[in-house]
């Protein structure tokens, strides 16, 4: 079993972590996030770190120990530096543009796709084939990027579609004569 929970989460300068009842709040220069704690873990806040410990030795408490520690680390990093997902659009005529608060995608369909940016998420297009999703909530940034990618995922023959910057597309060979 992983022992990631035993390492304390370092809190950088400029981030305040508070515990009110079973709610843990992190406040930094980019915003504020909160996490509802389960009854299986305890949290101790030190001067420059947050330590998570299980309440018992049962399996449920030990599994939620590492999970809670990872969620706290994600909150602290999110309010201090934030999260970013970059995507590339490949294909003839495929492009993206921001119109107000909506991301407008032309992906080879008979219609354009409008994706409204959710609250707390900033979507930018530096060029027509590059989309960047930014925010403080790691889960929400990943979910928005996955939804955008889901409109036209990369296909294995020509590589057309929307892919993450760090993603490698396994290419297939076309049919032979």
């Amino acid at each position: 079993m992983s022992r990631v929970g035993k390492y304390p989460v370092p809190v950088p300068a400029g981030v305040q972590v508070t515990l009110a009842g079973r709610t843990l709040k992190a406040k930094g220069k980019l915003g504020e996030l909160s996490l509802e704690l389960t009854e299986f873990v305890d949290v101790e806040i030190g001067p420059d770190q947050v330590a998570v410990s299980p309440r018992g030795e049962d399996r449920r408490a030990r599994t939620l120990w590492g999970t809670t520690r990872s969620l706290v680390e994600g909150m602290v990093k999110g309010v201090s530096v934030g999260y970013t997902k970059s995507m590339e659009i490949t294909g003839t005529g495929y492009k993206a543009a921001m119109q107000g608060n909506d991301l407008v995608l032309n992906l080879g369909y008979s219609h354009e796709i409008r994706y409204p940016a959710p609250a707390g998420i900033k979507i930018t297009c530096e060029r027509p084939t590059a989309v960047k999703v930014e925010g403080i909530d790691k889960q929400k940034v990943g979910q928005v990027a996955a939804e955008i990618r889901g409109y036209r995922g990369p296909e294995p023959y020509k590589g057309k579609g929307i892919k993450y910057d760090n993603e490698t597309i396994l290419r297939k060979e076309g049919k032979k004569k």
Side-chain angles (χ1 to χ4, degrees):
M1 183 181 285
S2 174
R3 300 283 184 261
V4 73
K6 69 180 180 180
Y7 301 109
V9 177
V11 179
V15 176
Q16 297 173 346
V17 180
T18 57
L19 182 64
R22 299 297 299 162
T23 304
L24 187 73
K25 293 186 179 191
K27 187 175 183 179
K29 64 180 180 181
L30 297 180
E32 185 175 341
L33 290 173
S34 63
L35 173 68
E36 199 65 37
L37 298 172
T38 65
E39 67 272 4
F40 295 103
V41 294
D42 286 325
V43 174
E44 297 173 16
I45 300 172
D48 59 347
Q49 67 183 14
V50 177
V52 181
S53 59
R55 276 203 174 162
E57 288 299 318
D58 60 326
R59 185 175 180 87
R60 182 90 171 136
R62 293 192 63 82
T63 55
L64 287 174
W65 179 29
T67 302
T68 304
R69 190 247 180 229
S70 295
L71 291 173
V72 171
E73 183 180 36
M75 284 175 37
V76 169
K77 183 179 176 194
V79 297
S80 61
V81 294
Y83 289 98
T84 302
K85 286 270 190 180
S86 298
M87 297 179 285
E88 285 182 12
I89 301 174
T90 308
T92 306
Y94 289 13
K95 61 184 177 178
M98 288 299 294
Q99 287 183 359
N101 199 29
D102 292 349
L103 175 67
V104 179
L105 299 165
N106 292 319
L107 299 173
Y109 297 119
S110 61
H111 59 285
E112 63 184 24
I113 298 166
R114 291 189 162 272
Y115 184 82
I121 297 293
K122 180 182 170 195
I123 302 175
T124 55
C125 297
E126 296 103 25
R127 47 186 206 277
T129 59
V131 178
K132 187 184 283 186
V133 180
E134 300 172 296
I136 61 172
D137 190 355
K138 185 177 186 177
Q139 189 274 333
K140 195 182 272 189
V141 168
Q143 181 67 36
V144 168
E147 287 173 3
I148 292 170
R149 183 183 185 272
Y151 288 122
R152 179 75 84 168
E155 54 97 11
Y157 295 101
K158 291 185 178 179
K160 293 167 58 171
I162 303 173
K163 72 176 190 80
Y164 298 117
D165 272 351
N166 57 1
E167 183 179 17
T168 303
I169 306 301
L170 293 177
R171 304 294 291 273
K172 290 184 181 178
E173 189 176 352
K175 71 177 186 179
K176 299 190 179 195
K177 289 187 177 182

